[in-house]
Amino acid sequence: PMGSERMEMCKRQMSTTQETPGAAQAQHGTGNRGSNACCFCWCCCCSCSCLTVRNQDEERARRTSHELQAEGIPNCEESPAPTLEEVNAWAQSFDKLMLTPAGRNAFREFLRTEFSEENMLFWMACEELKQESNKSVIEEKARLIYEDYISILSPKEVSLDSRVREVINRNMLEPSQHTFDDAQLQIYTLMHRDSYPRFMNSAIYKNLLRSLSEKPVEA
């Protein structure tokens, strides 16, 4: 009896030993499947999340200069409606166009269609800076002009050559009303040579001239 009991116990142990690896393997396999499923699910979620963020970044990068500039663009200058004589004078020289608020507004409207309104905004900001006399105000306005139109990180950066940029960087060590004089002149020349001829042939100018020409003369 003792021998048969020992044999029975041995059989049970062998049976348990055979079942345990299988069960452990099954559990291990299940664990792997669970782990893989969890990992796969996590990776998918992570990928989806990353793709969403990346797509949002790319979408922001694709936004045009015009759309970015539209945020915080100052209002056009207040001015009375231009007369036919004034509009005709704009064709005589770029200086005459830029002398009047109405001329600057019309030209600025044209620049907006070419996504280069920052040139006029920069020129106007420099003109405003020249009117300041308070040192702290000058420094603050100079800093804002630099951040908005000179910094390569700004969507409203204007096109300046390296020499002018070096001058600005030196001037920014001690800002004054004339910190951006060289840059302002370069942008003024750029608008004169590049944008002004196209403005004179644009629908904006021609339509304005036509509407004033057809306007009945008041007695």
Side-chain angles (χ1 to χ4, degrees), residues 188-199:
Y188 188 90
T189 303
L190 175 66
M191 292 191 292
H192 183 190
R193 294 178 178 175
D194 186 55
S195 303
Y196 173 63
R198 290 198 298 275
F199 169 70

Side-chain angles (χ1 to χ4, degrees), residues 6-54:
R6 281 197 297 272
M7 288 181 64
E8 185 66 25
M9 288 177 64
C10 287
K11 287 180 180 179
R12 288 179 183 175
Q13 289 176 354
M14 290 178 64
S15 175
T16 302
T17 302
Q18 290 174 353
E19 288 177 359
T20 300
Q25 184 177 3
Q27 289 176 357
H28 179 66
T30 302
N32 282 342
R33 284 194 298 271
S35 174
N36 287 341
C38 180
C39 178
F40 176 78
C41 179
W42 179 85
C43 289
C44 285
C45 294
C46 177
S47 299
C48 292
S49 176
C50 291
L51 285 172
T52 301
V53 172
R54 185 163 65 248

Side-chain angles (χ1 to χ4, degrees), residues 121-216:
L121 294 176
F122 171 67
W123 185 88
M124 292 170 62
C126 292
E127 286 295 293
E128 183 179 334
L129 178 65
K130 290 177 181 178
Q131 307 304 317
E132 293 295 341
S133 57
N134 184 287
K135 189 175 185 296
S136 61
V137 174
I138 289 173
E139 291 178 350
E140 177 63 15
K141 286 193 173 184
R143 182 185 64 80
L144 292 175
I145 290 174
Y146 189 94
E147 290 178 356
D148 286 344
Y149 304 108
I150 309 301
S151 171
I152 60 174
L153 300 177
S154 173
K156 296 186 289 184
E157 178 195 4
V158 295
S159 179
L160 299 170
D161 61 36
S162 58
R163 180 192 67 80
V164 171
R165 286 184 175 276
E166 289 176 5
V167 171
I168 292 175
N169 289 334
R170 288 197 301 269
N171 291 343
M172 285 299 292
L173 297 175
E174 191 173 346
S176 72
Q177 299 101 317
H178 305 289
T179 294
F180 304 100
D181 280 4
D182 287 354
Q184 186 186 20
L185 177 59
Q186 190 168 93
I187 294 302
Y188 188 90
T189 303
L190 175 66
M191 292 191 292
H192 183 190
R193 294 178 178 175
D194 186 55
S195 303
Y196 173 63
R198 290 198 298 275
F199 169 70
M200 298 312 302
N201 291 314
S202 70
I204 290 176
Y205 178 74
K206 290 180 178 179
N207 290 340
L208 178 59
L209 188 62
R210 185 182 303 112
S211 66
L212 291 173
S213 300
E214 296 173 352
K215 187 176 180 180

